[in-house]
Amino acid sequence: MLKSNQTNQHPTLTGAEILWATLAGEGVTTVFGYPGGAILPIYDALRNFPSIHHVLVRHEQGASHMADGYARASGRPGVCMATSGPGATNLVTGLATAMLDSIPLIAITGQVSSKVLGSDAFQEVDITGITLPVTKHNFLVMRAEDIAPTLREAFQIATSGRPGPVLVDITKDAQQATTAFSFAAARPRPHRPHPMLKAESSSIRDAVELIQQSKKPVILAGHGIVESGAEAEVLAFAEAHQIPIASTLLGLGAIPAAHPLSLGMMGMHGESWVNNAIQQADLLLAFGMRFDDRVTGNLTRYAPNAKKIHVDIDPSEINKNVHADVALIGDLKEVLQLLLPLLNSHPERSEVSDARTQPQPSEWLRTIDASKGTAAVRDIINLPDNGHLYAAHVINDIWHEAAAAGRLEQTIIVTDVGQHQMWEAQYFKHEAPRSLITSGGLGTMGFALPAAIGAKAACPEKDVWVIAGDGGFQMTAAELSTIVQEDMAINIAVINNGFLGMVRQWQETFYDKNYSASPILSPDFVKLAAAHGIAGANVSKRPEVTPTVTKARTSNKPFLINFQVEKEDGVYPMIAPGAALHEMVRRPHRDPLLPNPEDE
């Protein structure tokens, strides 16, 4: 029963109760965590807050990835918690994953009592010092009265400007002490955003001039489009001026893959025609992307003839990797809403014979389309059954089955990191934002399974697929029991080639096929799933793929499929380290039925 403070009519609560009351006030309904001694007062108080569901993870790293997946799928901040010492340090990889991909996440850790801080007490570690480089901000709270204001500020920091993870470390005595609580009084000071751009700003005028003068523009669509909610504005901008759109890995889904202006993914394993278009462009419009090295290749030879307009909410990204001729600092949605009315239609870019007809492709668009050749068809998808099952078959058939069932826009794919991640980006055509959840910047193996749990918690009505390699899947496979305990219908596709596939591909290409430590022994994944109470199936032939995928999707229960795929297949095209964006390594001849490398 909550006690009232007679002086100010605010209830007197313990710090632990204040924590849950503040989370509830912020709209939190799900928390992922693992208890321990320094956070037990918080777990004890959970009984008084039935509106918040706690998901018990099997490893604290899983908790941080689940909160991350929840945030990516929903657009709302995810929340995870752990005890002090090893519980807190086990969150670090998940915090770094969220930091590099700009994901709003709140991590709450218990800490030893303030009286013994700095004494090397049992399970004491300086978690704020450890996480300083991998959080947007962090706090150490040592008084009960500071818990609510700190938590509310943490939510504001995590979600304002460029999103990111925030850690709040709370000493045990602060959790146990009592004080008056007012959610409203704990409201943080208003966030001061970057000054809003105006129509008469010189940078806006310069951007308009560059856009109107360009003959071969390309939009670079990044993750910031989704974070800003600017999908409609980007499409309106592109359609009005018939500008083709290339996507980063995390930008996939922001623009429907089937849209005629959508080119596909750029970068190291991007489409050849996309990279060539970027290299030939005279103007790049970077929308919410940071010119990561995986999308630029050799910087000294990147888009040498193109002017660059960089739109980003984070000023520190401007000129960090690529010089911007014009920088528009601000929320992408707001910037585009300002730009669109200022840009008159550009007749040279679209050829329209009748005002009632759709714009015809410009010469620039026709040039890009002609450069696709047979690579756009991706012949591997249509290969006759020759006894080989390729990962591309699996990804394509999962996509095709979802489309045939009318569930494409209700499907979330959560990938791990490696070859299967790139195959997914190449062969699964994303039509909706937040339909691909993957670790981009940090490239965290073991991410997929726990992140899928977070995505399913956020969107229980959607079909959630884990696509993981046999290596990364084993890193967090213990979370299979979390899926069962939470009764979640999550589908799991293990792309099993008996190798750490991307490592093996690099060893094949750059280390004279010295497969040092890349072959990996795996358990029987179907039996492993069964041990956790999850049904499964082994698939090694292509005709078995679609029926098994349908069985998994329609079972309304968790289901694991172990896909035994070709062991030494590779992801192509590929840009070697130090090469320019257009200098792509082609698929080597290995199987006579594989596409000709000249057609890639």
Side-chain angles (χ1 to χ4, degrees):
M1 189 74 179
L2 304 184
K3 302 176 182 178
S4 294
N5 183 311
Q6 298 299 319
T7 304
N8 56 23
Q9 299 303 307
H10 296 313
T12 297
L13 308 179
T14 66
E17 291 170 327
I18 288 172
L19 178 136
W20 292 114
T22 305
L23 291 180
E26 291 286 350
V28 174
T29 58
T30 305
V31 171
F32 308 92
Y34 201 99
I39 202 170
L40 274 183
I42 287 174
Y43 274 86
D44 184 59
L46 178 58
R47 71 179 88 176
N48 298 322
F49 297 87
S51 66
I52 298 179
H53 176 63
H54 179 271
V55 175
L56 176 64
V57 305
R58 293 330 186 245
H59 190 283
E60 291 90 353
Q61 181 179 341
S64 55
H65 291 328
M66 289 177 204
D68 183 317
Y70 182 97
R72 295 188 201 230
S74 68
R76 304 185 299 273
V79 180
C80 61
M81 58 177 54
T83 193
S84 63
T89 58
N90 282 343
L91 296 176
V92 172
T93 297
L95 293 173
T97 301
M99 183 68 176
L100 266 70
D101 288 350
S102 304
I103 305 302
L105 187 153
I106 307 295
I108 298 163
T109 52
Q111 183 56 278
V112 300
S113 176
S114 60
K115 295 178 181 179
V116 296
L117 278 175
S119 69
D120 292 333
F122 178 67
Q123 291 192 334
E124 179 192 359
V125 71
D126 178 11
I127 194 60
T128 53
I130 289 170
T131 61
L132 186 64
V134 294
T135 54
K136 190 176 177 184
H137 198 75
N138 62 28
F139 299 90
L140 172 62
V141 180
M142 295 186 287
R143 304 190 311 161
E145 53 264 44
D146 294 332
I147 291 176
T150 302
L151 276 174
R152 295 207 64 186
E153 186 177 359
F155 274 88
Q156 182 186 73
I157 292 171
T159 57
S160 62
R162 180 178 181 172
V166 178
L167 179 134
V168 180
D169 193 34
I170 308 174
T171 61
K172 192 169 184 178
D173 52 330
Q175 300 169 39
Q176 295 169 319
T178 59
T179 190
F181 168 68
S182 168
F183 182 78
R187 182 176 58 227
R189 289 171 296 178
H191 171 67
R192 290 186 296 177
H194 191 276
M196 183 60 188
L197 287 163
K198 300 183 183 300
E200 60 271 19
S201 301
S202 61
S203 57
I204 288 289
R205 293 198 305 269
D206 291 343
V208 169
E209 184 177 354
L210 283 179
I211 295 166
Q212 291 181 335
Q213 290 176 349
S214 70
K215 306 293 185 184
K216 297 188 290 184
V218 176
I219 291 172
L220 308 181
H223 188 216
I225 295 174
V226 177
E227 292 295 339
S228 174
E231 296 89 349
E233 284 76 12
V234 172
L235 267 183
F237 183 92
E239 290 172 347
H241 305 284
Q242 288 294 285
I243 302 176
I245 306 169
S247 296
T248 66
L249 174 64
L250 295 184
L252 293 174
I255 304 302
H259 194 282
L261 291 174
S262 177
L263 298 181
M265 187 174 70
M266 68 180 93
M268 177 173 280
H269 293 291
E271 310 290 5
S272 57
W273 63 88
V274 180
N275 290 343
N276 285 328
I278 291 170
Q279 291 297 84
Q280 296 166 15
D282 64 6
L283 176 65
L284 297 182
L285 297 126
F287 289 170
M289 56 87 72
R290 58 190 178 89
F291 291 106
D292 176 81
D293 61 292
R294 288 295 175 101
V295 305
T296 62
N298 188 314
L299 283 172
T300 62
R301 294 188 285 161
Y302 177 69
N305 301 315
K307 299 288 187 181
K308 284 92 175 177
I309 298 174
H310 195 174
V311 185
D312 204 288
I313 200 166
D314 185 356
S316 70
E317 290 297 340
I318 304 299
N319 296 322
K320 186 174 81 174
N321 297 322
V322 171
H323 169 72
D325 295 279
V326 176
L328 302 178
I329 301 171
D331 181 86
L332 178 62
K333 186 182 183 80
E334 295 174 358
V335 170
L336 291 179
Q337 287 173 342
L338 178 64
L339 265 178
L340 279 165
L342 300 176
L343 285 162
N344 297 321
S345 61
H346 198 333
E348 295 178 12
R349 197 164 293 135
S350 59
E351 301 165 7
V352 184
S353 58
D354 188 304
R356 294 167 296 178
T357 65
Q358 291 293 319
Q360 297 302 305
S362 65
E363 181 180 351
W364 172 229
L365 290 173
R366 289 195 296 268
T367 299
I368 295 173
D369 189 62
S371 73
K372 294 180 181 180
T374 56
V377 180
R378 290 208 174 274
D379 294 348
I380 191 172
I381 294 302
N382 301 308
L383 282 176
D385 181 11
N386 64 347
H388 297 272
L389 179 63
Y390 293 95
H393 290 153
V394 174
I395 304 300
N396 175 78
D397 290 353
I398 292 174
W399 166 74
H400 189 271
E401 197 274 348
R407 297 288 298 172
L408 193 54
E409 294 192 10
Q410 294 299 312
T411 298
I412 297 175
I413 304 293
V414 189
T415 83
D416 222 86
V417 172
Q419 286 181 314
H420 65 275
Q421 180 188 33
M422 295 298 100
W423 279 316
E424 196 283 342
Q426 291 177 339
Y427 293 101
F428 195 103
K429 305 305 180 184
H430 291 273
E431 302 295 332
R434 303 190 184 278
S435 61
L436 171 60
I437 294 175
T438 193
S439 171
L442 195 64
T444 305
M445 291 179 68
F447 173 81
L449 189 65
I453 295 173
K456 189 67 174 179
C459 305
E461 76 286 357
K462 292 190 176 182
D463 298 333
V464 175
W465 276 92
V466 171
I467 296 180
D470 44 337
F473 179 73
Q474 293 185 69
M475 290 187 172
T476 51
E479 302 302 343
L480 289 170
S481 279
T482 306
I483 291 174
V484 174
Q485 186 165 337
E486 292 297 314
D487 192 24
M488 290 180 165
I490 294 175
N491 307 306
I492 303 161
V494 180
I495 309 300
N496 187 350
N497 61 7
F499 280 99
L500 303 178
M502 191 62 84
V503 175
R504 185 212 59 76
Q505 182 172 338
W506 277 58
Q507 290 171 331
E508 176 186 7
T509 307
F510 306 116
Y511 294 91
D512 196 28
K513 295 188 177 182
N514 177 22
Y515 297 155
S516 175
S518 57
I520 184 169
L521 177 68
S522 298
D524 184 321
F525 289 122
V526 173
K527 288 182 178 179
L528 178 64
H532 288 272
I534 295 176
N538 289 300
V539 171
S540 58
K541 299 182 185 302
R542 191 175 187 191
E544 301 169 348
V545 175
T546 297
T548 312
V549 166
T550 301
K551 180 180 179 181
R553 184 183 58 79
T554 57
S555 69
N556 294 318
K557 293 180 180 180
F559 199 99
L560 181 145
I561 310 173
N562 176 42
F563 290 103
Q564 294 281 357
V565 300
E566 183 69 16
K567 287 182 177 294
E568 295 188 71
D569 194 13
V571 183
Y572 296 99
M574 175 184 181
I575 299 171
L581 193 62
H582 62 282
E583 295 173 338
M584 289 157 280
V585 177
R586 314 296 182 172
R587 179 183 296 279
H589 287 288
R590 181 179 293 118
D591 188 315
L593 288 179
L594 286 174
N596 188 301
E598 298 307 316
D599 293 337
E600 281 282 356

